């Protein structure tokens, strides 16, 4: 645990907590708004969360060479997470363009 300063640890841990909170809030938004396409964003965020947890794990054990595979997993999860987030964004955009059965118009959510 000596590889990082306390303020840096605070940033790392709070970032993971914020990411978990964001996943949960987006999932709840999908339920409340009735637009379940937003769930794809929550699921798409999970690989990035795994990536962050890998980084914290590696630093927690003082960055040993024996855990260099964790860095590889972290990099892979970052790559996968970038793709899953892009796909989730596309899915949300696509769902906003699909007409509803009742009105024949795309569903829109009033920001107010």
């Amino acid at each position: 645990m000596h590889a990082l300063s306390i303020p840096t640890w605070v940033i790392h841990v709070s970032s993971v907590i914020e990411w978990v909170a964001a996943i949960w809030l987006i999932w709840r938004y999908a339920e409340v708004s009735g637009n379940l396409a937003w769930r794809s964003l929550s699921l798409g965020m999970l690989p990035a969360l795994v990536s962050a947890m890998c980084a914290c794990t590696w630093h927690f054990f003082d960055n040993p060479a024996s855990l260099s595979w964790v860095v590889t997993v972290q990099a892979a999860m970052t790559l996968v997470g970038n793709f899953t987030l892009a796909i989730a964004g596309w899915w949300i955009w696509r769902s906003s363009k699909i007409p509803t059965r009742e009105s024949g118009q795309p569903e829109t959510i009033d920001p107010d």
Side-chain angles (χ1 to χ4, degrees), residues 23-41:
I23 291 170
W24 179 77
L25 288 169
I26 292 167
W27 189 272
R28 291 288 301 141
Y29 176 76
E31 292 174 349
V32 171
S33 70
N35 186 351
L36 299 182
W38 281 90
R39 284 186 179 176
S40 66
L41 183 60

Side-chain angles (χ1 to χ4, degrees), residues 19 40-41 43-51 72-88:
W19 202 251
S40 66
L41 183 60
L43 296 174
M45 293 172 75
L46 292 176
L49 176 62
V50 171
S51 174
T72 304
V73 171
Q74 187 251 339
M77 288 295 99
T78 298
L79 179 67
V80 170
N82 289 341
F83 279 108
T84 57
L85 288 170
I87 292 166

Side-chain angles (χ1 to χ4, degrees), residues 3-18:
L4 301 178
S5 66
I6 290 176
T8 304
W9 270 114
V10 170
I11 297 294
H12 275 59
V13 173
S14 64
S15 294
V16 170
I17 292 168
E18 288 171 335

Side-chain angles (χ1 to χ4, degrees), residues 96-108:
S96 71
K97 301 296 181 193
I98 297 173
T100 61
R101 291 177 193 229
E102 297 84 31
S103 67
Q105 297 295 321
E107 274 187 73
T108 57

